[in-house]
Amino acid sequence: MALSLVPLTASAATVYRHVDAQGNVSYSDRPERGEAVTLSPLTVVPAAPKTPSPAARTNTPEASAPSAAPPFLPYSTFRIASPTNEQTLPTGYAGNVQVELSVAPALRDDHRIRLLVDGRISQSALHSDVFMLSNLERGEHQISAELLDADGRVRHRSEPVTLFVQRASVNLPGNPNNASP
């Protein structure tokens, strides 16, 4: 066995440094490519041990210890509190609306919320229960929210809220909601 390790050790220990005419440095294991270089030993950090599956943990003393992430606890309330369903956003708001959610118990540190407008994600998930939607186009929109756990999985979805947005139009100058002269 010792004989089989000798060639490995000898070939791994010798490295040659070569500098070409343009000053580029390269390293090789061929002696004709440059001068021998002695490398300092590498620092090796052992990998963290793998966590056994839940089935394998049941027979170990650590099975009763709490896991690193607390288990998912359902929220008793997860809904859009404002705007209210079928609310009309007047022209003067320019399609901007603040969306407030009611979440109980309080949002966990490792959970995020994202808003969907007309079924499409409107912005990145945030650890917040207040969002700002801006420049919504005129018409009817469906707003809903999704609660994501630490792994990015959807855990709750709110009931959709319908919002009617009024916007000024140069095509309807006589409209009393038109802010422009």
Side-chain angles (χ1 to χ4, degrees), residues 88-127:
T88 299
L89 191 63
T91 299
Y93 283 77
N96 300 328
V97 63
Q98 181 172 303
V99 179
E100 297 178 32
L101 283 92
S102 176
V103 182
L107 189 62
R108 284 185 15 183
D109 289 340
D110 59 337
H111 288 177
R112 304 284 181 262
I113 296 175
R114 68 180 174 201
L115 285 184
L116 288 85
V117 177
D118 300 327
R120 292 184 304 271
I121 298 171
S122 70
Q123 57 193 258
S124 301
L126 301 172
H127 185 265

Side-chain angles (χ1 to χ4, degrees), residues 135-155:
N135 203 23
L136 290 173
E137 294 193 14
R138 172 186 309 152
E140 179 179 333
H141 297 282
Q142 296 287 317
I143 301 172
S144 59
E146 293 180 333
L147 184 130
L148 307 176
D149 67 9
D151 296 324
R153 292 179 296 198
V154 176
R155 291 301 197 150

Side-chain angles (χ1 to χ4, degrees), residues 3-140:
L3 291 177
S4 65
L5 293 178
V6 172
L8 260 180
T9 306
S11 67
T14 307
V15 175
Y16 299 91
R17 181 178 183 265
H18 174 73
V19 181
D20 66 13
Q22 290 81 26
N24 299 318
V25 179
S26 62
Y27 294 90
S28 172
D29 59 352
R30 296 188 199 149
E32 66 271 6
R33 299 237 359 156
E35 62 185 64
V37 176
T38 304
L39 299 176
S40 55
L42 294 175
T43 303
V44 178
V45 178
K50 287 188 175 182
T51 305
S53 67
R57 283 195 304 243
T58 56
N59 296 331
T60 64
E62 298 87 27
S64 60
S67 62
F72 177 76
L73 299 173
Y75 290 85
S76 59
T77 304
F78 185 75
R79 66 179 182 81
I80 296 175
S82 175
T84 58
N85 194 34
E86 298 189 357
Q87 181 175 334
T88 299
L89 191 63
T91 299
Y93 283 77
N96 300 328
V97 63
Q98 181 172 303
V99 179
E100 297 178 32
L101 283 92
S102 176
V103 182
L107 189 62
R108 284 185 15 183
D109 289 340
D110 59 337
H111 288 177
R112 304 284 181 262
I113 296 175
R114 68 180 174 201
L115 285 184
L116 288 85
V117 177
D118 300 327
R120 292 184 304 271
I121 298 171
S122 70
Q123 57 193 258
S124 301
L126 301 172
H127 185 265
S128 176
D129 57 0
V130 178
F131 296 84
M132 188 68 187
L133 293 176
S134 58
N135 203 23
L136 290 173
E137 294 193 14
R138 172 186 309 152
E140 179 179 333

